[in-house]
Amino acid sequence: MPSGIEVIFLGTGGSLPTKSRGLPSVAIRRDGELLLFDCGEGTQRQMMHAGLGFNRTTSIFISHLHGDHLLGLPGLLQTMSSLVRDKPLDIFGPKGLTSFFKALHGTLGFSATFPVQIRELTPGETVERTDYSVRTTLAKHDITCLAYAMEEQERPGRFHPDKARRLSVPEGPLWRELQYGKTVKIDGKTIDPKNVIGPPRPGLKVTYAIDTRPCQAVRLLARKSDLLMHDGGFSLDRKEKAREYFHSTAEEAGTLARAAKCQKLALVHISAVTRDDKILLREARRVFSHTIVPTDLMILSLMRSP
Ligand SMILES: [Zn+2]
Ligand SMILES: [Zn+2]
């Protein structure tokens, strides 16, 4: 298994696009699979720029039904159909997502040429996958908005050949059994895998909380994330506007990242009014130094612990 994942910031703006920032979308590339969080208008072109391809196993997680977060879906699906995608596509989002697709189908007369499964999630639900899960919680916005956390399962501990040799376990099938966590017997002596295998190694955790005020539910969801992507496009001088529009200031995002003991914070949904990212960066870093303000198409590699 490769040693990490890639987070690709496709669109880092919010509400309306600017010349330099597209509407919200973040891709996670993980073992050849793609997870997309939000699909703002223009996402498909950003996917082309990032070389992500349109025929990967893909799951899309929509945070909420404000246009800037999902109007890229019709175009993306149409392109995938034109390119004769054959893999199924799973789309998750809050209540109302199904009627959005019904309306699309009714008005555009469009339907995908590949299986599309739409699943509405309620806050608190978890999507289980083979070796990771995606948990949701209710963010604090003016309509139902889901925050998501992608969490990989723990990996088995590292096998120590030197310890196995010291316990007189010969190299070969018995090593494999121990690696799979099975107890083995050598000359009547029982060898517990615990004696030759280190502690389980944690997987990566990435949390996406966009269009939200800072809130306890998101703080709990984001706990100990390797990366938290949080709404934080407002500078301190527009604090009241952030509150009024149910968004967060960069400083509020920093405070939450620190409280949730995250490793890294990426500010997203950068307001079109923000002229200088450095102000956001300075204000967030005052409380949480490991903050970045990603630009569109920036790639962040996250490595699993060895
Ligand atoms: Zn938005
Ligand atoms: Zn919104």
Side-chain angles (χ1 to χ4, degrees):
M1 185 186 273
S3 58
I5 61 172
E6 277 181 337
V7 179
I8 303 124
F9 296 91
L10 298 173
T12 54
S15 305
L16 48 140
T18 64
K19 285 180 189 170
S20 58
R21 292 189 190 276
L23 291 171
S25 185
V26 176
I28 293 182
R29 189 152 47 180
R30 187 187 177 282
D31 298 344
E33 186 183 346
L34 208 61
L35 282 78
L36 218 57
F37 293 92
D38 279 334
C39 189
E41 183 197 330
T43 296
Q44 55 167 327
R45 281 201 77 214
Q46 295 296 80
M47 288 174 72
M48 286 177 192
H49 281 300
L52 295 179
F54 293 111
N55 200 23
R56 284 171 193 268
T57 302
T58 303
S59 303
I60 303 179
F61 298 87
I62 298 296
S63 61
H64 65 305
L65 303 184
H66 277 159
D68 53 329
H69 294 257
L70 81 165
L71 288 180
L73 278 174
L76 177 62
L77 264 68
Q78 200 149 333
T79 296
M80 284 174 162
S81 286
S82 306
L83 295 176
V84 203
R85 180 187 170 93
D86 50 20
K87 294 214 173 68
L89 178 72
D90 292 339
I91 308 176
F92 302 91
K95 192 169 163 27
L97 192 66
T98 312
S99 33
F100 172 73
F101 277 96
K102 270 196 192 130
L104 272 185
H105 184 67
T107 50
L108 298 181
F110 161 78
S111 57
T113 54
F114 49 92
V116 178
Q117 188 186 296
I118 295 154
R119 185 172 144 196
E120 294 184 347
L121 298 171
T122 50
E125 255 189 277
T126 301
V127 176
E128 296 287 355
R129 296 290 203 219
T130 313
D131 49 5
Y132 69 89
S133 62
V134 179
R135 248 184 328 134
T136 64
T137 198
L138 185 64
K140 196 174 175 185
H141 199 41
D142 55 351
I143 61 168
T144 300
C145 181
L146 299 174
Y148 293 100
M150 188 286 295
E151 219 168 334
E152 294 182 334
Q153 277 174 18
E154 281 187 335
R155 289 163 303 140
R158 193 164 281 285
F159 178 72
H160 296 288
D162 49 324
K163 289 186 181 169
R165 280 192 199 102
R166 231 176 290 146
L167 291 164
S168 315
V169 186
E171 193 171 344
L174 290 180
W175 278 26
R176 182 162 289 274
E177 299 220 348
L178 285 166
Q179 281 167 330
Y180 279 107
K182 289 187 189 148
T183 304
V184 301
K185 275 200 167 170
I186 295 276
D187 303 331
K189 196 171 66 175
T190 305
I191 312 284
D192 192 297
K194 272 203 300 248
N195 296 327
V196 294
I197 291 175
R201 293 168 293 167
L204 290 165
K205 179 174 178 181
V206 175
T207 302
Y208 179 79
I210 201 163
D211 286 32
T212 184
R213 293 288 302 141
C215 63
Q216 198 196 14
V218 167
R219 182 168 57 76
L220 292 173
L221 182 80
R223 201 174 141 69
K224 292 193 170 170
S225 292
D226 295 279
L227 171 69
L228 166 63
M229 296 173 269
H230 196 282
D231 188 311
F234 282 72
S235 47
L236 265 180
D237 59 336
R238 300 184 66 238
K239 196 176 174 174
E240 289 315 312
K241 287 284 170 210
R243 191 190 304 264
E244 188 186 333
Y245 300 143
F246 287 87
H247 287 287
S248 301
T249 63
E251 188 195 49
E252 284 168 334
T255 305
L256 189 134
R258 188 179 61 184
K261 296 184 165 43
C262 297
Q263 293 292 323
K264 199 185 255 295
L265 167 68
L267 301 176
V268 287
H269 212 275
I270 307 303
S271 160
V273 180
T274 302
R275 291 267 172 261
D276 189 357
D277 301 351
K278 288 197 198 77
I279 299 170
L280 298 177
L281 207 52
R282 198 171 54 232
E283 290 176 355
R285 281 187 177 170
R286 230 179 269 152
V287 282
F288 187 74
S289 59
H290 304 289
T291 304
I292 57 168
V293 180
T295 50
D296 281 16
L297 297 175
M298 186 186 141
I299 299 175
L300 199 62
S301 297
L302 301 178
M303 292 299 159
R304 299 186 183 104
S305 55

